[in-house]
Amino acid sequence: MEEIIQHLTPLVKEISGYIYPNEIEMHWSLLIVLYPYITGLVAGAFILASLVKVFNVKELQPVYRISLLTALAFMLVAPLPLQAHLGHPEKSFEIFLTPNVTSAMAMFGFVYMWYLMAVLQLEIWFDYRKDLILWARQEKGIRKWIHRFTSFFSNDISEKAIAFDEKAEKIITILGIPSAFLLHGYVGFIFGSVKANPWWSSVLMPIVFLFSAIVSGIALVLLIYMIVTPMRSKQVDMNCLDKLASFLFYAMIVDFSLEILDFIHRIYESEESIHILSELVSGKLFISLVVVQLLIGMIIPLGAIAVTKAFKAPAELKKLIYFTSAILVQVGIFSTRWNVVVGGQLFSKSFRGLTAYKMTFLGLEGLLVAIAILVLPLIILYVLFKLLPPWEEARMKIPVIQENINENN
Amino acid sequence: MKFKFNPDDLKSLVKKSFSSDNINKRRQSMKFFWKNLPEQIRRLSVVAVILFALPLVVRQLLIPTDFGKYGHYRASALDEIVSQEIHYAGRELCNECHDDVVEVKYNGYHKTLTCEVCHGPAFAHTEDDAIELEAPRKRSYCPTCHEYLPSRPSGFPQIISARHNSRKACIKCHDPHDPKPPETPRECKACHAEISYTKAVSKHVDIPCTRCHQTPEEHKIRPREVLPSKPHNREFCGSCHALDAESSEDIPRIDLFEHERRYNCWQCHYPHLPEAN
Amino acid sequence: MKKWQSENANGMKRRKFIKNILFSLAALTTPAVLSAQEALKKLQTWIIGEDYNPFEHYWGMGIDINKCIGCGKCADACKKENDVPKAPFFFRTWVERYRIFKSGKTFVDSPNGAINGFRKPYYESEDKDKVIRSFFVPKICNHCDNPPCVQVCPVGATFKTPDGVVLVDGDYCIGCRYCIQACPYGARFLHPEKRTAEKCTFCYHRVVKGLVPACVEICPTQTRIFGEIKKKASPLMRFMRKHKIGVLKPSLNTEPKVYYANLDMEVR
């Protein structure tokens, strides 16, 4: 208690205007910024993968498995920031016991479980099953057993079974697209449905979240592909990279238009809250919204990619531009999440003043934990890459002479 | 070969598997049905049963038994909330022992106040008189309500403590249980502080209240029952501000017959702070 | 606001009624309708006991802004009655002072929730002659009839009782703070020690025993009126007959049950 009071007391000086006395404490801080950021990456990476399966974008085949594993790695971490920010993390299971049907947040567990179990892992399982069986046959020791276990001791690599895998995968992907939309649109809805908060309360919120998710997911896979390929001393597939950049570009245009639409709509409708919101945007949010989110995270990378499209740039230059753009996009999207989550709490619901936020370094809701949560999926991804190599050359061909395998062993 | 999922396949599989009603045969046919499903489905359904059925059972065991009895919440939460300790006893309880003080208070200006306003939460005291209550005697206490603040409603008795017998404790002159002033206040501002201080910075500063409001002495004792008078026509203001009024030449004049005849003067000019644009 | 008049005879809340109908429709069977009514009957035997039947009451509060002297006794009494943390960041009720200037600017303050009152002497207040109007406004949880906080609680740790009081189950609350975000009135806070949401309970522990909330009990000028909304003879109904009343942020359709007389448009 003393700690909290010591944390809050200096904030009083940073308040401008009048805020309700209970509003000094910022309740959703850095960790809740991470939550939509991470689920956005998941949804974006998955939608990228579905481009290959559903829309038959052949150029993106090299990143298909990478994006699935990326989605999985980040998905596994997604509930951590939520869990850590709770006042009582040990009671979080109650959300599964007695979910309140009118609560957007109560649905989180179910949306998450559905997406993780029924979509993401299932699709990965079907995609890898044949390879898992064939890898296991060549391997020895622990890897053999890991692969056998992850295939659930499956054995059938008959033509019929593989055809079934492909069919199932396609069905799951088709189901997966609305599910990915649900996963992240739903996160947007958590904020967009809070009528008390004019900065959040917007019907566009889920859609803006969704498109920014696609942007961030594509940019992340592009980054991972560009970093990992040279590390394996392989050549980056330029066709694939160009295609990734194109999709990134289109998604950004849609995202940018939606954000601008939201902005214009607010100014044009000019509701009661407009005064405090413009004070917020031109003051405490100016750097993170106008400079980082819009200029650095959106306009500069958009322009840069547009230039590579307009003038046929040499491959090396293109790579450099794509790489920097993707990094800028990540910074921009993180800033987008920041501006939504933190920005929405920087003004009083009395619309008469601005509150303040001071990030802590240590503690459950501090910077250190946040960094750990951001690094963790990369570690998981490394392990996944080791266990389930997503590279094209790791794909196994079915041996021509098939052994007679007993299905029941 | 492309795998095509055909609903008829499943139908015929079901038919083939469950056509006979002989129990022994049926057991075998179950096995047949299971074996003929694609291998993937068989493996996954086992995993699904473990992953979903088990948590479902555990969930049923963990839900609090009283949850949902009245609504989507724990019914016993109400018991817990209702069992919270009471600190403020309420005004009826004081009467049982202190009826003499309550009687005095009942007839005075503080009749709407419960004893606990000044004496603090008294529930513990009602159970055990050894627990003594606070009785604020300091001069700094009464101004919480009676210090002049422009935001306070007019008519509420207010003082400026710095100027009001600045060294004496309030209770030296005022009995807090019957706080009538030791002598009837001579000045209106004892109660009408807001008006008085507004007037103090206005052009009307030198006009006594009684010039416009005839005030019966009785008003000072029974303020809400006996009211002072108020001016009721333009001519009253005109006695100073009309073109032909016999008043000092510095006073602004107006042609009563030309100037906004449909209004009474105080509909636009606040008499306690008269302003002309 | 006049919603209780359109309720059916057995006092069932309209929303609950609609909910029941929806549930019944979903089941599409007659037994479901019957069982819903059965369940409602069971509700009548209430956990609190024979002395208090929540189905016979519906509580609300009236606040007359013209009467408030800004002494802050209510905020102080609330903290004492409910053991609210003393630090100046946690309030179940507080008093705001509004000063509206000629320039159109409005200045609001509430030093320490007004627990020690407003002590600023007159000669320090800014440009007295430039203030056009000034008053105090006590604030409290509005115990909305359509409470956004209850809507968003993921686990059912905050709820509305049959007598219209919005409560928090501190033992069940997971501390996600969605309800704090959803409350348009800033009436909720996270208890710094318990790490669960907290708010005004209308002093439910007093009300079920026939007492009024501590803030109402203590108010020296009877600015705050507590009473029944559904009964013809109640101090609150008298208050609502006598005054033109308003509620805070009516456009959000939260249907507050704290009614303000002489509410100024600047109050939010």
Side-chain angles (χ1 to χ4, degrees), chain A residues 175-369:
Chain A
L175 261 174
I177 294 172
S179 301
F181 276 44
L182 180 71
L183 176 75
H184 206 63
Y186 154 82
V187 177
F189 187 79
I190 286 188
F191 294 97
S193 61
V194 177
K195 65 181 170 187
N197 189 322
W199 184 244
W200 291 345
S201 175
S202 158
V203 72
L204 276 180
M205 192 62 98
I207 305 177
V208 173
F209 261 57
L210 199 60
F211 276 93
S212 53
I214 296 174
V215 168
S216 68
I218 296 176
L220 179 69
V221 173
L222 191 144
L223 279 177
I224 289 174
Y225 181 59
M226 285 187 76
I227 292 171
V228 168
T229 314
M231 278 166 74
R232 303 192 303 121
S233 11
K234 290 272 154 46
Q235 271 296 314
V236 171
D237 180 347
M238 216 47 211
N239 272 339
C240 173
L241 216 55
D242 283 338
K243 207 71 190 173
L244 274 174
S246 296
F247 278 113
L248 180 63
F249 184 72
Y250 302 139
M252 278 171 82
I253 286 184
V254 177
D255 186 30
F256 186 58
S257 322
L258 285 169
E259 274 173 29
I260 295 299
L261 171 63
D262 187 48
F263 190 62
I264 292 172
H265 185 84
R266 282 172 192 279
I267 294 176
Y268 197 81
E269 274 201 341
S270 176
E271 289 180 346
E272 192 184 14
S273 55
I274 194 73
H275 301 291
I276 193 72
L277 293 187
S278 39
E279 201 183 320
L280 179 71
V281 169
S282 58
K284 292 193 176 190
L285 275 194
F286 186 79
I287 300 286
S288 64
L289 181 75
V290 179
V291 178
V292 182
Q293 179 184 335
L294 284 178
L295 191 68
I296 296 180
M298 190 64 81
I299 294 170
I300 291 177
L302 258 182
I305 299 175
V307 166
T308 59
K309 282 184 170 299
F311 310 99
K312 284 199 175 140
E316 284 309 306
L317 182 64
K318 273 208 278 191
K319 276 194 217 166
L320 184 70
I321 289 178
Y322 292 162
F323 193 76
T324 18
S325 298
I327 287 178
L328 292 182
V329 164
Q330 286 306 330
V331 174
I333 298 293
F334 184 83
S335 185
T336 309
R337 309 297 183 228
W338 174 278
N339 293 327
V340 169
V341 176
V342 174
Q345 298 169 83
L346 277 177
F347 64 94
S348 164
K349 286 182 196 132
S350 68
F351 306 157
R352 293 197 182 280
L354 299 177
T355 62
Y357 172 49
K358 209 173 98 196
M359 202 191 291
T360 50
F361 182 71
L362 297 167
L364 215 50
E365 290 186 57
L367 186 63
L368 212 58
V369 171

Side-chain angles (χ1 to χ4, degrees), chain C residues 78 136 165 180 196 201 222:
Chain C
C78 174
F136 298 104
V165 181
I180 303 177
T196 54
T201 61
Q222 299 186 332

Side-chain angles (χ1 to χ4, degrees), chain A residues 56-67:
Chain A
N56 266 324
V57 185
K58 289 274 184 307
E59 295 92 330
L60 293 179
Q61 187 62 35
V63 293
Y64 173 67
R65 283 183 165 182
I66 295 179
S67 44

Side-chain angles (χ1 to χ4, degrees), chain A residues 75 86 104 110 141 159 170 174 225 300 325 327 399:
Chain A
M75 190 68 180
L86 290 180
F110 301 98
E159 241 178 285
K170 188 146 190 176
I174 291 170
Y225 181 59
I300 291 177
S325 298
I327 287 178

Side-chain angles (χ1 to χ4, degrees), chain A residues 26-42:
Chain A
M26 176 157 302
H27 287 289
W28 286 355
S29 52
L30 187 59
L31 290 185
I32 305 297
V33 176
L34 285 188
Y35 162 57
Y37 178 65
I38 291 176
T39 48
L41 293 173
V42 175

Side-chain angles (χ1 to χ4, degrees), chain C residues 188-200:
Chain C
R188 285 171 169 260
F189 58 89
L190 195 79
H191 193 287
E193 224 154 54
K194 298 179 197 156
R195 308 298 289 155
T196 54
E198 261 204 41
K199 64 178 279 294
C200 158

